[in-house]
Amino acid sequence: MKRILITGAAGFLGSHLCDRFIKEGFYVIAMDNLITGDLKNIEHLFKLENFEFYHHDVSKFVHVPGKLDYILHFASPASPIDYLKIPIQTLKVGALGTHNLLGLAKEKNARILIASTSEIYGDPLVHPQTEEYYGNVNTIGPRGVYDEAKRFQESITMAYHRFHGLDTRIVRIFNTYGPRMRLNDGRVIPAFMGQALRGEDLTVFGDGSQTRSFCYVDDEIEGIYRLLMSDYNLPVNIGNPNEITIKEFAEEIIKLTGTNQKIVYKPLPKDDPMQRQPDISKAREILGWEPEVGREEGMRKTFEFFKKLSKADLLKTEHRDFTLHNKK
Ligand code: UDP
């Protein structure tokens, strides 16, 4: 049985990856420090014989007994609210955590896939973003702790590949959504859906002309799986190129949820990228991959998930603190 270590396993993408690799017949070793992850996302797996869980912070030395064939490094805060609240941990997990896991991969002779992000492109001056674009990142802005940790992560991964011959993969993940997103992580989809369910107005930041391109989680997981199984070592964008402005998106959510909410406008957070759309030519060519789930279907499934949350969970939500955003 192939053995795979998944870090950030109790998080949104991590937990879906656990499900996928269990389905593929792997022995899954899940790891998470539970700062932003939630055991609820993986508790259905605890009864399985081919699943185990370590409560551990990968910024500290990582030890896993026995052989390992694959490592997926998905541990990291991944929302602007989290970067503001836990900036040092965000830097540490991307930098020290990645270093520890690369060391573990070398020791175990395992293939390692690193979760990078469209954030390495910053507020992009090239549109859509190809893997060749170097990016436009503010190193000292509020998002810099995430963006720079992820840029360092790519560099150290390529260094281990080139210097130690380590078998590495790098996926650049664009905005992804679906069941198990954290309702209170402040990102636009849980924010809008939570607001619709609580009967509040939808908060659009800025004038809503900024764009994003949202990928349904099943498509994202399929792309990541194919990349891991490929022999391609350079970064690959995985995301859905279907781009929409945030204002239009808010209108879509109001229609989907059948609520009468209005849109209210709030200040645009600092360094909020104005446009984002992945160029997925590489993924198409190398992996034969492209997204299959349209926004309407994906959002419907996601809304079903949020609708099932308890009243108490719905009320636990957090709003972005704009004074924090604009602090020097
Ligand atoms: N956004 C918004 N209202 C919200 C939360 C987010 O208008 O309540 C905007 C945000 O300013 C950004 C976009 O939605 O332009 C996506 O934000 P998110 O935090 O989901 O992800 P990211 O900025 O990292 O793509």
Side-chain angles (χ1 to χ4, degrees):
M1 194 180 252
K2 295 278 186 207
R3 286 164 59 89
I4 186 166
L5 168 68
I6 302 179
T7 75
F12 167 48
L13 289 179
S15 67
H16 283 282
L17 286 165
C18 288
D19 286 341
R20 175 63 186 260
F21 283 90
I22 289 286
K23 209 168 110 202
E24 299 286 344
F26 282 65
Y27 188 96
V28 173
I29 300 157
M31 195 172 275
D32 206 300
N33 67 357
L34 302 177
I35 290 193
T36 57
D38 189 338
L39 281 179
K40 255 196 244 149
N41 291 334
I42 47 172
E43 85 193 341
H44 58 287
L45 302 175
F46 276 69
K47 60 180 183 290
L48 303 177
E49 275 183 5
N50 53 333
F51 180 84
E52 60 182 299
F53 176 75
Y54 286 84
H55 185 189
H56 181 68
D57 180 349
V58 296
S59 305
K60 307 210 171 82
F61 181 81
V62 182
H63 177 69
V64 174
K67 75 159 188 158
L68 270 184
D69 300 288
Y70 300 98
I71 298 174
L72 299 181
H73 183 26
F74 276 69
S76 177
S79 90
I81 274 196
D82 293 337
Y83 318 148
L84 290 166
K85 282 206 306 205
I86 42 174
I88 316 285
Q89 285 95 328
T90 305
L91 280 157
K92 282 171 77 176
V93 72
L96 307 180
T98 303
H99 187 206
N100 288 334
L101 292 161
L102 289 165
L104 181 68
K106 182 163 155 273
E107 169 70 25
K108 302 279 185 184
N109 210 5
R111 178 178 298 178
I112 180 165
L113 181 145
I114 299 290
S116 185
T117 162
S118 53
E119 281 285 320
I120 65 110
Y121 300 120
D123 191 3
L125 305 176
V126 164
H127 194 73
Q129 292 80 56
T130 61
E131 287 87 347
E132 283 70 37
Y133 177 48
Y134 294 161
N136 176 36
V137 170
N138 175 5
T139 55
I140 58 168
R143 302 169 86 108
V145 294
Y146 183 62
D147 302 4
E148 289 304 326
K150 291 292 186 180
R151 290 172 69 95
F152 172 82
Q153 182 183 56
E154 290 198 3
S155 302
I156 192 171
T157 300
M158 288 312 294
Y160 266 74
H161 174 66
R162 293 189 177 121
F163 189 73
H164 290 304
L166 197 69
D167 193 12
T168 56
R169 306 284 181 276
I170 299 173
V171 58
R172 290 191 184 147
I173 299 169
F174 282 66
N175 293 67
T176 301
Y177 69 96
R180 301 188 192 150
M181 285 191 102
R182 216 172 80 220
L183 185 70
N184 64 355
D185 82 354
R187 313 200 75 180
V188 70
I189 292 173
F192 285 176
M193 293 203 171
Q195 286 161 348
L197 284 167
R198 289 188 303 272
E200 296 167 6
D201 293 336
L202 270 58
T203 52
V204 166
F205 298 163
D207 62 3
S209 64
Q210 71 273 32
T211 69
R212 293 295 185 273
S213 309
F214 298 110
C215 184
Y216 188 63
V217 62
D218 291 358
D219 284 333
E220 190 67 43
I221 299 295
E222 179 63 29
I224 293 166
Y225 185 81
R226 288 194 195 190
L227 177 61
L228 180 69
M229 296 308 166
S230 78
D231 56 9
Y232 192 74
N233 302 113
L234 296 175
V236 179
N237 290 340
I238 300 285
N240 190 324
N242 190 353
E243 187 180 2
I244 185 170
T245 68
I246 295 300
K247 181 172 183 287
E248 282 168 327
F249 181 57
E251 286 158 0
E252 267 189 18
I253 296 283
I254 290 173
K255 214 162 117 201
L256 166 85
T257 56
T259 46
N260 305 319
Q261 268 63 48
K262 290 197 302 293
I263 292 175
V264 290
Y265 293 88
K266 300 273 178 185
L268 189 68
K270 185 159 169 44
D271 297 335
D272 198 285
M274 269 316 289
Q275 50 180 7
R276 185 180 285 157
Q277 187 202 108
D279 180 318
I280 57 164
S281 317
K282 271 219 168 88
R284 281 201 177 102
E285 221 171 277
I286 297 165
L287 313 175
W289 174 88
E290 63 181 1
E292 288 175 358
V293 182
R295 204 168 47 241
E296 201 187 322
E297 181 189 349
M299 290 298 162
R300 214 176 345 96
K301 287 183 174 162
T302 308
F303 189 54
E304 286 309 310
F305 166 79
F306 284 119
K307 265 204 306 207
K308 283 195 212 115
L309 294 181
S310 67
K311 272 242 153 54
D313 278 336
L314 267 183
L315 291 173
K316 263 196 284 185
T317 197
E318 228 168 290
H319 292 285
R320 284 200 195 177
D321 179 347
F322 295 98
T323 52
L324 261 177
H325 276 295
N326 296 318
K327 243 188 209 162
K328 285 234 175 75

